[in-house]
Amino acid sequence: MEVPLNPDAPLDPAAHNQFPAACWVGPRHLAGDDGRLYDTVADTLSTLGWTSLTMVRGRQEPDEEPENRQVVRSIVLHLSPDTLRWAQWVLADEPFLLGDLPIAWHVCARTDANSPLAQWSAYFTSDVPGEAVADFLVALDARRHPAAPSGGRELVLEAVTGHGWLLDIDQPHAGAMDATFTSHISYGTVPPLIQDGDPQTLTREVGEELDGWQAWSEPVLGGRCLWAASFSSSVPDDLVAAFARSVSSTAPVLRRVLPDSTRDRLLRAPAI
């Protein structure tokens, strides 16, 4: 970074009578989502021309005012112009957990607009840097065939090692981590319930799992993750590489809110 960074700069969003100052911070993979993960991604999708729809389910008692209606489910769906790719904001819809963290964005793509089934799925929890999710979606939008395989695992590893990450000494062809061993990306068995259109998902034996890319940040070894992302087995490697390249970027990002678990590890420079 070319600007002087001060790790002691005050950035307490709860400070009384003081609007939190915006700062440039790094590294990106520890910077969190600034509490704006929905806005960052939704703004990007709007720029790309995707349509947004809000689906709400709830209940309303007789003679109850509309503003008192109890909403029990709410999903915001963003759909690409060709309807082959979509992104759902599911944080308000009782999402399932990934690494003990609630999933915020669920992204899918299909090969045929007449088929309701997704070919692959990608999942991002809260505190994934919004820039990385946005870059993943920009790469997805640019693809003519969003579900066609492309590239190989080396694309993902080259994306992060190009930013100084280290190959996993035990599995150098399937994993890498940042120089502080805090954030990781690895190719291996995906967690349960990760949806994929690969026919093997229907024919595999009980207990047999498909492989895919996983990424996560674990500020304290054995502690709670800051964020996690999971890509089903059919997600094209070039799209995973777009996410990996962005989340491992050395370019500072603008933040007003910092994660408690990584606040002391971030370098900061006031945004002027």
Side-chain angles (χ1 to χ4, degrees), residues 37-113:
L37 184 55
Y38 175 77
D39 293 331
T40 299
V41 175
D43 288 349
T44 297
L45 295 177
S46 177
T47 300
L48 295 174
W50 289 35
T51 301
S52 64
L53 304 169
T54 302
M55 297 174 286
V56 177
R57 295 176 58 188
R59 56 179 177 268
Q60 187 173 9
E61 299 297 331
D63 302 323
E64 184 179 33
E65 295 298 327
E67 60 269 20
N68 295 328
R69 180 183 180 185
Q70 301 178 56
V71 175
V72 294
R73 295 174 68 87
S74 177
I75 298 177
V76 182
L77 175 68
H78 296 259
L79 190 65
S80 66
D82 62 6
T83 73
L84 293 179
R85 54 212 104 191
W86 61 94
Q88 300 177 69
W89 174 256
V90 297
L91 192 61
D93 190 39
E94 302 176 8
F96 65 86
L97 302 180
L98 182 63
D100 292 328
L101 300 172
I103 289 172
W105 280 103
H106 178 198
V107 181
C108 300
R110 56 185 174 178
T111 57
D112 184 357

Side-chain angles (χ1 to χ4, degrees), residues 10-12 18-23 255-257 270-271:
L11 276 178
D12 183 6
Q18 181 180 358
F19 192 80
C23 283
R255 293 290 185 268
R256 293 182 181 275
V257 181

Side-chain angles (χ1 to χ4, degrees), residues 157 160-161 165-178 181 184-187 216:
L157 298 177
V160 294
T161 55
W165 286 33
L166 309 173
L167 293 176
D168 190 321
I169 192 172
D170 295 321
Q171 45 178 355
H173 300 295
M177 64 201 73
D178 79 290
F181 306 101
H184 309 255
I185 190 163
S186 178
Y187 187 83
W216 68 96

Side-chain angles (χ1 to χ4, degrees), residues 136 156 159 185 213 231-232 235-245:
F136 175 85
V156 179
I185 190 163
W213 285 102
F231 305 87
S232 71
V235 177
D237 289 308
D238 63 308
L239 295 182
V240 182
F243 170 82
R245 185 176 302 107

Side-chain angles (χ1 to χ4, degrees), residues 145-212:
H145 302 292
S150 179
R153 277 187 255 168
E154 67 276 2
L155 288 180
V156 179
L157 298 177
E158 289 171 0
V160 294
T161 55
H163 290 152
W165 286 33
L166 309 173
L167 293 176
D168 190 321
I169 192 172
D170 295 321
Q171 45 178 355
H173 300 295
M177 64 201 73
D178 79 290
T180 65
F181 306 101
T182 301
S183 297
H184 309 255
I185 190 163
S186 178
Y187 187 83
T189 302
V190 298
L193 303 180
I194 298 300
Q195 301 173 15
D196 192 81
D198 191 315
Q200 294 183 56
T201 61
L202 302 177
T203 60
R204 63 189 177 188
E205 299 293 333
V206 176
E208 181 183 357
E209 300 292 344
L210 294 178
D211 288 340

